[in-house]
Amino acid sequence: MKKATKKEIEELKSILIDKYKDAKTELNYTNEYELLISIILSAQCTDKRVNIITPALFEKYPNTKELSNANLDDVKSLINSCSFFNNKAKNIISMAKAVEEKYNGIIPRTQKELICLAGVGQKTANVFMIEYENKNLMAVDTHVFRVAHRFGLTSEKTAIKTEAELSKKFKTDLHILHQAMVLFGRYICKATSPDCAQCIAPHLCKTKDTFKAN
């Protein structure tokens, strides 16, 4: 597959920022605790489903103190329509306990600290910091990975390596570009039957093939 030129990358960057400069996550939250929980639950699950699940969860467990003392089976029952709910229930309780014990109930704000929490990997940590603090970071989910490959921005096989390459090529406005590529991939540049008629940069597309991270 042909790789995008530096000029094409700059053009795509400009188009994405112009189209999606005001875009925000579609997850519903009111504070950093709710945001982190929602991001953890959203792994391999739709934001729409997470938004259905979380109101009851947050009503019963409104903070890390309450969640750290939660009954595992009760949490499972509240999120059982979410993919991998058994592991996610264990993780969010463990995360809450760690935040209470190590950070006095305050969600940490650095990647190094966040990825030490149960259920939080590099992508989750970056998404949290992108959304809550507008950090100049890139996070690669299935949509970003697919869009990046279709536009010839990378040929890397893993999300982490793709993140590094996108960060190097785009350099600035990464928080906007992350959200732009998520929404563009979710609604237009879909895995199957991409809506090419609605593409914002059809002249820059290299392929319609579907790509998945290893």
Side-chain angles (χ1 to χ4, degrees), residues 10-201:
E10 288 301 313
E11 183 180 359
L12 180 62
K13 178 180 179 178
S14 178
I15 291 170
L16 286 168
I17 290 174
D18 182 64
K19 177 70 175 179
Y20 295 99
K21 59 182 177 292
D22 298 320
K24 295 290 184 180
T25 181
E26 293 185 320
L27 293 169
N28 296 332
Y29 70 95
T30 60
N31 54 50
E32 66 267 38
Y33 162 75
E34 292 183 0
L35 175 61
L36 185 57
I37 294 288
S38 295
I39 296 170
I40 293 172
L41 295 181
S42 70
Q44 299 185 57
C45 185
T46 66
D47 288 1
K48 183 178 180 180
R49 171 56 51 187
V50 172
N51 290 337
I52 292 171
I53 293 167
T54 51
L57 178 68
F58 295 151
E59 181 177 4
K60 190 161 188 180
Y61 303 107
N63 51 53
T64 52
K65 184 176 181 179
E66 296 294 333
L67 185 58
S68 67
N69 295 309
N71 175 272
L72 177 59
D73 288 335
D74 185 48
V75 175
K76 286 181 181 180
S77 69
L78 289 168
I79 67 169
N80 64 9
S81 64
C82 185
S83 57
F84 306 104
F85 70 91
N86 286 310
N87 283 335
K88 288 178 180 178
K90 293 176 185 176
N91 283 337
I92 62 174
I93 292 174
S94 295
M95 179 278 292
K97 288 180 178 178
V99 171
E100 282 296 309
E101 293 169 3
K102 298 179 181 179
Y103 304 106
N104 298 314
I106 299 172
I107 304 295
R109 302 291 179 82
T110 70
Q111 185 190 80
K112 183 177 179 180
E113 292 172 314
L114 284 165
I115 62 177
C116 290
L117 301 175
V120 181
Q122 184 167 315
K123 185 198 80 173
T124 297
N126 284 8
V127 170
F128 175 83
M129 291 188 291
I130 287 167
E131 175 61 26
Y132 207 72
E133 298 192 328
N134 289 328
K135 290 289 186 181
N136 187 46
L137 295 169
M138 175 57 65
V140 176
D141 68 356
T142 182
H143 302 300
V144 175
F145 189 87
R146 182 174 62 255
V147 171
H149 283 75
R150 282 181 172 169
F151 279 100
L153 301 175
T154 182
S155 58
E156 295 291 353
K157 304 300 183 184
T158 68
I160 295 298
K161 289 183 178 180
T162 298
E163 175 196 313
E165 186 162 7
L166 291 177
S167 299
K168 182 178 179 180
K169 288 183 175 178
F170 283 139
K171 295 183 178 64
T172 60
D173 297 308
L174 299 180
H175 60 301
I176 299 173
L177 293 163
H178 158 74
Q179 193 57 256
M181 293 172 77
V182 168
L183 295 177
F184 179 66
R186 182 177 292 165
Y187 296 111
I188 297 175
C189 195
K190 297 174 286 187
T192 57
S193 303
D195 190 357
C196 298
Q198 298 300 316
C199 183
I200 58 176

